[in-house]
Amino acid sequence: MATPLPTNVSTPTDQHVFHVDQLQLSSEDRQRITERTKWVLDSPDPPGFRQEILGSIKNTIFFQKNKKLGSSQPPLARVVAFLRSVFPIFSWAKDYKISTFKSDLLSGLTLASLCIPQSIGYAALAQLNPQYGLYTSVVPPLIYTTMGTSRELAIGPVAVVSLLISAMVSKVINPVVDPVAYTKLVFTVTFFTGAFQALFGLFRLGFLVDFLSQAAIVGFMAGAAIVIGLQQLKGLLAISHFTTKTDVVSVLIAVFKSFKTSWYPQNFILGCSFLIFILITRFIGKRNRKLFWLPAIAPLVSVILSTAIVYLTRADEHGVKIIKHVKGGMNPSSINQLQFNSPHLRESVKIGLVCAIIALTEAVAVGRSFATIKGYNMDGNKEMIAMGFMNICGSMSSCYVATGSFSRTAVNFYAGCQTAVSNVVMAITVLVMLQLLTGLLYYTPIAILSSIILSALPGLINYTEAYHIWKVDKLDFLACAGAFFGVLFASVEMGLMIAVAVSFAKIILNALRPRVEELGRLPGTDIFCEVDQYPVAHAVPGVLIIRLNSGLLCFTNANPLRDRILKWVTEENEKEDIKRPISGIILDMSSVTNIDYAGILALEETNKKLLSGGIKLAIASPRWQVIHKLKVAKFVDKVGRDCIFLTVSEAVDSFVGSKFNAPANC
């Protein structure tokens, strides 16, 4: 309960008039302030919820650079504008040149040399047959080329999403016991992943992805990298019976148990030898950017050389495990394999949502970083729609979840790609390989696939950024550490849950206890700043100026804010060295973008409490949604139209500012 406020006026019947023996505002100044108050109060109504939803869809799909071109456009022009909006390829394809294609051809072929071995390895990580990784590098990149806005983003399977699918789907259906049902469930998960991604973009719900903060992503990626690395021990050591769990303890126990049974060190020697080779080429490529192609083709060279070694020495007969048969041909249709009537539908939706968020987070982060380097803007909402449709189409053509790969995008960038056509070149190369060359992969050792995956993991661990997070925000670092240790010692899902829980806790904590700052005027200006940040700013005698540093004044923080304001007034009036008792409160609401019914009630109660103590309340700089709701709730009528101001400076002028007078009807 708030402390009762002292009465600052001598006559109780005259509580609505300020008695300040200072100069009156000139009629011109008062007219100017009144006119600006009308600007605030007479603003048009903001769009409602339905209008915002429909408007977001219209802006996302039917976006036009020249908004003045509306219904007056010819029907054909509208169709063209729609096609260019949904398929950005129509905008840049008309200016495409042969010289540009040469750059895209080189980068696409370089990309394919890295993509083919990685796709096979990531399919194994997802506990799928090798061909599904290759299929995922054909259809999704082609769809993305027509709908995506990034020029450098390389589309295909990635390590983290493959781990997610393996960890979560295998808990529903064991891939060893029933591989066919497992594959069907993966296709269904891919469909829902695409559906969620498309909806996020269509309704501009990209903020949902932001609930997984950058700090949480850093921790999650680092933990996932270690888990993926430990999973590769199965291939490096040729372990036949391995745990389906992903936590460190379970994996290490499975490894130690395998030593008691027969295992073949040839796999480990072969895998580690080519891992060292790949890492050396990567080191050389980083030292000399002109040799960017060397680390790009190293995985493919490793596959070719190791396959030749196994074939010539017949090492498969001496314990070296090989891929054996890889199904070739074009992507077969998988529409009939989507399980919408399955008893596991709920699990499919849940896993699809998780994969959608993780895949989008990685792709958008990678795409924006390279778009910034190139100096162009990548449309986040269109990226989500493109990702969604490519995964929906992928689920119908024997693909699993695809997204943007950081390692392959970096290779694509340094290879000199100019447009997304490099994805087309890569997809065609993979398709040719599927048609003609899959038989050559029969003797490829599994240990090589493990070494290729291991070589890509260091890029997922960002020590520098984790250190910066620790220095900047300890609560953010808690989310980072929680995600890291959750993935490492519990499960992938637990790591994500911890990260999201800490991020939500931070949001809720800031919402429940937002900062309320006292403002003062900077000398010689009409600028009002926080007195704690700017000690030179001096308070206005008799007026307490408060800024609510919260984007939303709602049921979670309305009552604490009300009590804080009333307590603040009481404390100010009880100071012994006070020059003039507080006779007016100005609430700077420039930071408050919205308000709910509980927030309005709190303002009404605050106004009543202040009036009972002879203190006037004024609202300065209310935002569009805020002033609209205050008018609808009749709060403006209760507090008085003359107590609403466009700026803090005008509110101070009306109270005790440069002319030192109070509002007439406040």
Side-chain angles (χ1 to χ4, degrees):
M1 184 66 68
T3 308
L5 296 170
T7 303
N8 296 322
V9 293
S10 56
T11 55
T13 58
D14 194 20
Q15 292 181 352
H16 292 275
V17 179
F18 272 75
H19 299 286
V20 183
D21 298 328
Q22 301 291 349
L23 296 175
Q24 297 287 328
L25 279 174
S26 67
S27 59
E28 291 181 0
D29 289 335
R30 186 170 296 284
Q31 185 177 0
R32 173 178 56 83
I33 294 175
T34 302
E35 182 180 356
R36 295 194 179 188
T37 297
K38 288 182 179 179
W39 294 352
V40 178
L41 295 175
D42 296 341
S43 59
D45 293 342
F49 178 75
R50 178 173 171 273
Q51 289 175 293
E52 287 184 346
I53 293 295
L54 294 177
S56 67
I57 298 174
K58 182 179 179 181
N59 290 335
T60 302
I61 301 180
F62 301 95
F63 176 75
Q64 296 172 355
K65 290 183 179 179
N66 188 355
K67 293 185 178 180
K68 292 182 180 180
L69 295 176
S71 58
S72 60
Q73 271 190 310
L76 181 59
R78 291 189 213 170
V79 172
V80 172
F82 170 76
L83 291 176
R84 285 182 177 177
S85 179
V86 177
F87 302 100
I89 189 173
F90 288 122
S91 298
W92 54 263
K94 60 181 180 180
D95 300 322
Y96 198 74
K97 300 177 181 178
I98 295 296
S99 58
T100 305
F101 177 70
K102 291 179 180 179
S103 299
D104 289 337
L105 178 63
L106 175 63
S107 57
L109 292 174
T110 307
L111 198 57
S113 67
L114 176 62
C115 169
I116 291 171
Q118 279 193 350
S119 297
I120 297 172
Y122 292 151
L125 180 60
Q127 301 191 60
L128 293 167
N129 291 329
Q131 66 267 19
Y132 294 116
L134 296 171
Y135 292 157
T136 306
S137 296
V138 176
V139 173
L142 294 175
I143 301 295
Y144 179 83
T145 301
T146 64
M147 301 184 70
T149 59
S150 173
R151 302 170 191 167
E152 298 81 23
L153 198 63
I155 300 298
V158 297
V160 174
V161 175
S162 299
L163 174 66
L164 272 174
I165 289 175
S166 173
M168 300 181 74
V169 178
S170 62
K171 291 183 178 179
V172 182
I173 297 177
N174 192 320
V176 178
V177 176
D178 194 349
V180 175
Y182 176 84
T183 303
K184 290 180 179 180
L185 187 60
V186 169
F187 292 155
T188 308
V189 166
T190 303
F191 177 86
F192 284 114
T193 298
F196 279 119
Q197 290 173 332
L199 288 174
F200 289 164
L202 197 61
F203 293 102
R204 300 202 170 205
L205 300 177
F207 66 89
L208 294 175
V209 177
D210 295 331
F211 277 121
L212 202 59
S213 65
Q214 180 61 24
I217 289 294
V218 170
F220 174 79
M221 289 293 186
I226 295 175
V227 168
I228 292 169
L230 291 173
Q231 291 284 323
Q232 300 319 301
L233 292 175
K234 176 183 178 182
L236 282 176
L237 300 175
I239 300 173
S240 300
H241 303 288
F242 202 68
T243 179
T244 57
K245 296 180 180 180
T246 59
D247 63 282
V248 173
V249 177
S250 299
V251 172
L252 291 179
I253 290 174
V255 171
F256 286 126
K257 284 183 178 179
S258 70
F259 290 133
K260 298 179 182 180
T261 60
S262 60
W263 68 286
Y264 300 92
Q266 299 95 319
N267 294 275
F268 183 76
I269 295 171
L270 190 65
C272 288
S273 299
F274 282 99
L275 174 60
I276 293 171
F277 166 70
I278 294 171
L279 293 177
I280 290 174
T281 59
R282 182 165 296 174
F283 176 76
I284 295 172
K286 285 184 177 180
R287 294 292 297 269
N288 189 348
R289 291 296 186 189
K290 292 182 180 179
L291 298 176
F292 68 89
W293 52 269
L294 189 59
I297 66 170
L300 185 60
V301 171
S302 300
V303 169
I304 295 172
L305 290 178
S306 62
T307 302
I309 291 171
V310 172
Y311 176 75
L312 294 174
T313 62
R314 297 298 178 185
D316 57 307
E317 298 176 0
H318 301 283
V320 174
K321 288 196 171 185
I322 57 176
I323 294 178
K324 296 184 179 180
H325 179 67
V326 178
K327 185 179 179 181
M330 294 186 64
N331 294 41
S333 173
S334 56
I335 296 177
N336 295 330
Q337 298 185 53
L338 298 177
Q339 305 292 298
F340 296 122
N341 296 321
S342 168
H344 305 303
L345 184 63
R346 180 177 297 180
E347 288 82 357
S348 301
V349 174
K350 183 186 74 172
I351 299 171
L353 177 60
V354 174
C355 289
I357 293 175
I358 295 298
L360 279 179
T361 302
E362 182 172 0
V364 172
V366 172
R368 281 179 176 166
S369 62
F370 285 97
T372 301
I373 296 173
K374 280 290 189 74
Y376 68 92
N377 182 48
M378 191 186 80
D379 192 321
N381 288 302
K382 288 186 179 179
E383 283 297 300
M384 294 178 189
I385 294 175
M387 293 280 173
F389 276 97
M390 79 178 188
N391 278 315
I392 290 174
C393 294
S395 69
M396 301 177 183
S397 53
S398 301
C399 305
Y400 74 100
V401 180
T403 187
S405 164
F406 178 79
S407 60
R408 294 197 295 274
T409 301
V411 168
N412 198 27
F413 174 78
Y414 290 116
C417 80
Q418 298 297 316
T419 67
V421 171
S422 59
N423 273 303
V424 177
V425 175
M426 178 197 71
I428 293 174
T429 305
V430 175
L431 185 60
V432 170
M433 187 265 179
L434 277 167
Q435 293 280 23
L436 305 175
L437 305 176
T438 52
L440 300 178
L441 295 173
Y442 185 91
Y443 288 99
T444 301
I446 293 176
I448 290 302
L449 302 181
S450 296
S451 65
I452 291 171
I453 294 175
L454 284 169
S455 68
L457 297 182
L460 296 177
I461 303 176
N462 196 332
Y463 305 99
T464 305
E465 191 164 5
Y467 176 74
H468 287 160
I469 292 170
W470 163 259
K471 297 291 288 184
V472 172
D473 192 322
K474 299 299 187 289
L475 199 57
D476 264 353
F477 185 79
L478 181 62
C480 177
F484 176 77
F485 289 110
V487 171
L488 214 56
F489 293 103
S491 64
V492 175
E493 308 97 287
M494 183 58 66
L496 286 173
M497 287 175 62
I498 293 173
V500 173
V502 174
S503 300
F504 264 108
K506 183 179 178 181
I507 294 171
I508 293 171
L509 187 63
N510 290 333
L512 289 174
R513 291 290 181 268
R515 292 181 62 83
V516 182
E517 303 291 347
E518 180 182 2
L519 305 185
R521 189 198 297 266
L522 291 178
T525 71
D526 285 333
I527 300 173
F528 288 83
C529 302
E530 299 173 5
V531 294
D532 292 336
Q533 183 179 1
Y534 300 93
V536 296
H538 55 79
V540 179
V543 178
L544 181 61
I545 309 170
I546 298 173
R547 174 180 291 158
L548 307 181
N549 286 335
S550 175
L552 182 63
L553 183 56
C554 61
F555 65 95
T556 60
N557 57 22
N559 291 332
L561 284 174
R562 175 201 61 197
D563 295 340
R564 180 72 185 92
I565 292 170
L566 297 178
K567 184 180 179 181
W568 204 334
V569 174
T570 303
E571 291 173 351
E572 289 290 326
N573 282 331
E574 289 177 352
K575 289 181 179 179
E576 295 181 358
D577 58 344
I578 189 171
K579 296 180 180 179
R580 185 184 302 167
I582 299 298
S583 55
I585 301 287
I586 298 174
L587 289 184
D588 178 8
M589 301 187 71
S590 57
S591 300
V592 183
T593 58
N594 213 329
I595 188 171
D596 68 1
Y597 186 66
I600 296 173
L601 288 179
L603 286 180
E604 291 182 353
E605 293 176 12
T606 303
N607 184 48
K608 290 179 181 177
K609 289 279 188 180
L610 293 175
L611 281 178
S612 67
I615 301 173
K616 307 303 176 183
L617 175 67
I619 305 295
S621 305
R623 303 294 288 270
W624 197 9
Q625 289 281 356
V626 173
I627 192 60
H628 170 69
K629 292 184 179 181
L630 292 181
K631 288 190 296 183
V632 172
K634 307 296 183 183
F635 176 79
V636 172
D637 297 334
K638 295 174 184 177
V639 75
R641 294 175 64 90
D642 290 342
C643 290
I644 308 295
F645 298 94
L646 182 64
T647 65
V648 173
S649 178
E650 292 179 0
V652 171
D653 286 349
S654 286
F655 270 117
V656 292
S658 58
K659 304 299 181 180
F660 300 103
N661 191 37
N665 300 320
C666 198

